[in-house]
Amino acid sequence: MISPTLVLQNTVDGIFLGLFYSLVAIGLALIFGVMDIINFAHGDLLMLAAYFAWLGSVDLSTDPSITALLLVPTFFILGIGLYYGLIQPVIGKEPLIQIAVTVGFGLILQNIALATFKAEPKAVPYSIFNFSYSIGPLTLYASKLFIAAVSLATLLALHLFLNRTHLGLAMRSIADNREIAQLMGINVKKLYALTFGLGTSLIALSASLWMTFGQVQPYLGTSFSLISWVIVALGGLGGVVGVLYSGIIVGLAESLGGLLLTPSARMAVVYVVFFLVLWFKPRGLFGRR
Amino acid sequence: MHLRLPLPKSILLETALLALFLAAISALLIGNAYYTLLAATVVLFSSMVVAWNVIGGYAGQLDLGAYAYMGFGGIITAELWIKTGLPPIIGIFVGGAASSLLAVLIGIPTFRFGIKEVWYALLTAALVVIFNNIARLLMGPFDYYLPSDSGLLYLKFNNYELMYAISSAFLLAAFLINFLIERSKVGYYLRAIREDELAAEMIGIDTRRYKLYALMIYSFLLGTMGYIYIVLAASFSYRIFDSSASLSIAIMGIIGGLGSVEGAIASSMILRSLGEYFRSSFGSTFPGLDLLLYGTVLILMGIFQPEGLVSMFNLIKRKLGVMTNERDHP
């Protein structure tokens, strides 16, 4: 019999994990929502950033979360470069072509990582958040708390950015109607580059956070890509809030699924939930346009 | 429209050419067991890509679930032999039927709710992960072996040349089935769906039904191939449900050119053989060079040659003046 304490502990862990997943998926949701680009290399970019975070924190002997200060601007520029080199040629083309190009890019990243860092997982030897609190029967790890807080704060900031600033509103207007936005004098191409850069820098942030408790190996991206797409599908382009809720649903499904079945079947639970939602609410839980 | 024979001469000719080509390769490899086994796996892989062409190429659905159907059918065939003694020569059809049934169970709600493009791709990719997880739960982390019997009844030989011949037979069968579909009403409807699903529906095609047919044929073919895959791999485990391998089936189909059987065979054979060559030559100094190659080819194709290899073939054919309109792919 599973004790209620364990269920509670897993629920809390699931919510924390879900907040982090939302942060991972939000870059993808932004890129897909604004640019209609199907990016299957999302997770592989995260893997790349995670290696940089690992290198940075080992070389500078700091916590990986601090490397984010360096990685976020770097990946913003990298994202803009990627946009012009790789994404712009396939904008507006068939979904299959976009998938092919981004899958190809992901394969290249994976195998360069494999050749450079070999297959064994790398983890950061220390973290400044390596302690925990006990609240009653619950144990809260400081690192998880920190990650959840940063994720939530970033999502909130992004929400405000998209709803309150001129630039954010311009992005949303492209998502709504590209032609009319263009007529209103919005430079769509420039804004696309910016959106891709922003999405990529959000990946760098989540990768830095991931390295405070996780490990990186060349195939880390595959599971993150799939999870991010699952969250985007569940969220149904309902904005930041939709991604936040669906991230938490996925986090809870994984955490409680691992507890109630076995840890090795936890992803099956997530994907079964995904199947059911896609079947019965093809527009996502939180409304797709 | 004029009536066509079920199998016109040009198709019989192409099939004969393919058979000749496969035979020539086996003659070249005689005596080298390692290369013959490798060739058998390349040919089997190629037949999986040709099977994928039915759902991906003709119907235009980006299916990333190949190894779910392949593994499901293969494990059922193998288990039937181990548990009930049913010889695989019959068992593969049971395995294929089981895969097809699975495809119906998944396909009906999927097509009913209009899930397509990226969402269909994700759904099928998730299917492989679900099967991987469930199989690990049911089978544990162990490797299972087939009985040691061999012979035609078991479609299993200790001689690699014969295994190569079986793989070739599967490729030829998949090749012919593709042509039969291409020439049939189903094939025309499927291509209409691929070009414009909404328009296809408007002119009265039951798109859900025909996509389901394509999925059933594809999964049946893969289900029968699963057992041969297990024989070539010499054992089976939950790892047969492999996400990245499923992805590479779709990759070969895309690189070959959607809806082109010849393109599918060419891309899968060339790239898989090159990949194996890289793996054996540089695998220790540069692991993953084979996949790096796939990635580069995919990007270049996607940006510069979105119609795939087949458009290059057609260009060559047109230059040589042998292009006939009947098999021109738009």
Side-chain angles (χ1 to χ4, degrees):
Chain A
M1 194 52 213
I2 297 155
S3 74
T5 323
L6 215 52
V7 174
L8 190 65
Q9 177 76 54
N10 274 270
T11 307
V12 172
D13 285 348
I15 291 172
F16 283 0
L17 184 68
L19 286 170
F20 172 67
Y21 278 165
S22 307
L23 182 68
V24 174
I26 193 70
L28 185 72
L30 190 70
I31 289 169
F32 181 62
V34 173
M35 305 165 66
D36 251 332
I37 275 284
I38 298 168
N39 180 11
F40 266 46
H42 185 76
D44 299 304
L45 279 167
L46 190 140
M47 177 272 298
L48 180 74
Y51 270 114
F52 281 138
W54 174 73
L55 279 176
S57 73
V58 169
D59 284 350
L60 307 171
S61 307
T62 60
D63 188 82
S65 59
I66 293 166
T67 60
L69 298 175
L70 212 67
L71 277 182
V72 169
T74 314
F75 267 69
F76 182 73
I77 296 164
L78 181 78
I80 290 179
L82 272 179
Y83 169 76
Y84 284 112
L86 200 70
I87 304 299
Q88 208 179 34
V90 293
I91 275 194
K93 284 201 184 161
E94 269 188 73
L96 211 69
I97 302 296
Q98 299 180 353
I99 292 174
V101 167
T102 51
V103 161
F105 180 62
L107 279 175
I108 290 179
L109 286 183
Q110 271 175 27
N111 293 290
I112 287 179
L114 182 66
T116 317
F117 301 106
K118 307 293 174 239
E120 64 263 28
K122 307 266 197 249
V124 172
Y126 39 73
S127 167
I128 43 177
F129 298 103
N130 205 357
F131 57 94
S132 59
Y133 306 100
S134 290
I135 302 174
L138 284 179
T139 313
L140 293 181
Y141 290 96
S143 59
K144 288 185 180 170
L145 206 60
F146 169 73
I147 290 163
V150 173
S151 302
L152 200 59
T154 313
L155 291 170
L156 184 70
L158 194 69
H159 183 70
L160 291 176
F161 168 75
L162 287 174
N163 287 291
R164 297 283 161 80
T165 65
H166 182 75
L167 207 59
L169 286 171
M171 279 179 188
R172 286 184 52 209
S173 71
I174 295 184
D176 280 346
N177 192 322
R178 186 175 159 179
E179 273 76 31
I180 291 179
Q182 221 156 1
L183 285 175
M184 294 293 147
I186 293 171
N187 187 337
V188 171
K189 274 188 185 163
K190 238 182 213 162
L191 218 59
Y192 274 179
L194 253 138
T195 308
F196 204 80
L198 183 61
T200 319
S201 60
L202 285 165
I203 295 175
L205 178 63
S206 29
S208 311
L209 294 178
W210 168 256
M211 285 315 287
T212 59
F213 68 104
Q215 295 179 325
V216 57
Q217 36 88 14
Y219 306 113
L220 179 71
T222 315
S223 56
F224 272 125
S225 282
L226 211 50
I227 281 264
S228 305
W229 272 110
V230 166
I231 292 170
V232 173
L234 296 188
L237 298 190
V240 177
V241 181
V243 171
L244 182 66
Y245 287 147
S246 42
I248 291 174
I249 291 172
V250 169
L252 281 174
E254 184 179 329
S255 183
L256 293 174
L259 176 73
L260 300 175
L261 290 167
T262 66
S264 63
R266 62 184 205 284
M267 288 331 280
V269 178
V270 172
Y271 294 131
V272 168
V273 170
F274 167 66
F275 258 67
L276 296 176
V277 170
L278 213 52
W279 276 348
F280 295 109
K281 295 213 73 164
R283 292 182 170 275
L285 290 174
F286 307 100
R288 189 178 302 154
R289 73 186 136 91
Chain B
M1 224 178 98
H2 58 93
L3 282 170
R4 284 204 182 98
L5 289 168
L7 279 175
K9 270 186 198 143
S10 65
I11 287 172
L12 290 174
L13 186 73
E14 275 199 58
T15 314
L17 275 176
L18 178 67
L20 209 65
F21 171 71
L22 291 169
I25 289 186
S26 77
L28 276 177
L29 295 174
I30 264 180
N32 190 326
Y34 171 66
Y35 282 127
T36 309
L37 175 63
L38 213 57
T41 59
V42 171
V43 170
L44 186 72
F45 182 78
S46 192
S47 16
M48 290 169 72
V49 180
V50 171
W52 182 87
N53 188 55
V54 176
I55 186 80
Y58 293 144
Q61 307 298 309
L62 183 63
D63 194 291
L64 302 180
Y67 277 61
Y69 298 119
M70 204 271 301
F72 189 64
I75 289 179
I76 283 181
T77 309
E79 288 288 349
L80 274 176
W81 183 20
I82 296 167
K83 299 252 163 73
T84 72
L86 184 77
I89 199 160
I90 302 165
I92 58 162
F93 296 106
V94 182
S99 282
S100 220
L101 185 69
L102 174 72
V104 171
L105 291 179
I106 292 159
I108 286 179
T110 303
F111 297 138
R112 158 82 180 74
F113 296 120
I115 291 161
K116 47 194 160 190
E117 291 171 4
V118 63
W119 313 114
Y120 182 79
L122 288 170
L123 201 100
T124 50
L127 188 67
V128 184
V129 182
I130 292 177
F131 268 84
N132 184 300
N133 279 205
I134 292 175
R136 192 177 170 156
L137 214 59
L138 297 176
M139 299 164 70
F142 314 110
D143 281 331
Y144 294 82
Y145 298 92
L146 294 169
S148 57
D149 309 62
S150 62
L152 189 62
L153 206 53
Y154 309 110
L155 293 174
K156 176 169 169 281
F157 299 96
N158 299 323
N159 170 327
Y160 289 129
E161 271 78 22
L162 288 173
M163 286 318 300
Y164 174 84
I166 289 183
S167 293
S168 303
F170 271 84
L171 178 56
L172 286 168
F175 187 74
L176 274 175
I177 288 171
N178 261 274
F179 277 124
L180 283 175
I181 295 167
E182 191 174 310
R183 296 288 163 137
S184 70
K185 188 179 78 177
V186 179
Y188 287 112
Y189 285 0
L190 287 180
R191 269 170 290 166
I193 292 170
R194 180 187 73 200
E195 293 312 322
D196 192 336
E197 195 164 334
L198 207 64
E201 206 146 348
M202 300 272 265
I203 58 168
I205 297 175
D206 187 346
T207 55
R208 271 150 46 183
R209 176 194 298 250
Y210 285 97
K211 283 197 284 188
L212 192 64
Y213 287 165
L215 188 64
M216 283 169 71
I217 298 166
Y218 154 72
S219 54
F220 180 82
L221 287 173
L222 283 172
T224 58
M225 289 167 196
Y227 170 75
I228 307 300
Y229 181 89
I230 288 172
V231 174
L232 291 176
S235 70
F236 62 101
S237 72
Y238 75 95
R239 279 185 294 273
I240 196 169
F241 300 106
D242 184 340
S243 302
S244 56
S246 301
L247 186 67
S248 59
I249 297 279
I251 289 176
M252 298 306 162
I254 296 169
I255 293 179
L258 293 182
S260 159
V261 192
E262 299 92 336
I265 292 180
S267 71
S268 55
M269 284 198 174
I270 295 171
L271 284 171
R272 183 70 196 257
S273 312
L274 263 178
E276 293 291 344
Y277 170 73
F278 281 158
R279 198 166 19 204
S280 60
S281 309
F282 309 105
S284 51
T285 48
F286 196 143
L289 190 60
D290 50 333
L291 294 168
L292 197 67
L293 169 87
Y294 293 172
T296 315
V297 173
L298 261 181
I299 291 185
L300 293 178
M301 276 287 177
I303 293 179
F304 299 109
Q305 196 82 41
E307 281 97 53
L309 271 184
V310 69
S311 64
M312 284 193 223
F313 288 160
N314 286 349
L315 192 73
I316 296 168
K317 277 193 203 167
R318 214 172 289 134
K319 286 259 163 71
L320 295 172
V322 293
M323 191 74 196
T324 53
N325 284 330
E326 58 164 345
R327 304 219 344 98
D328 199 356
H329 298 281

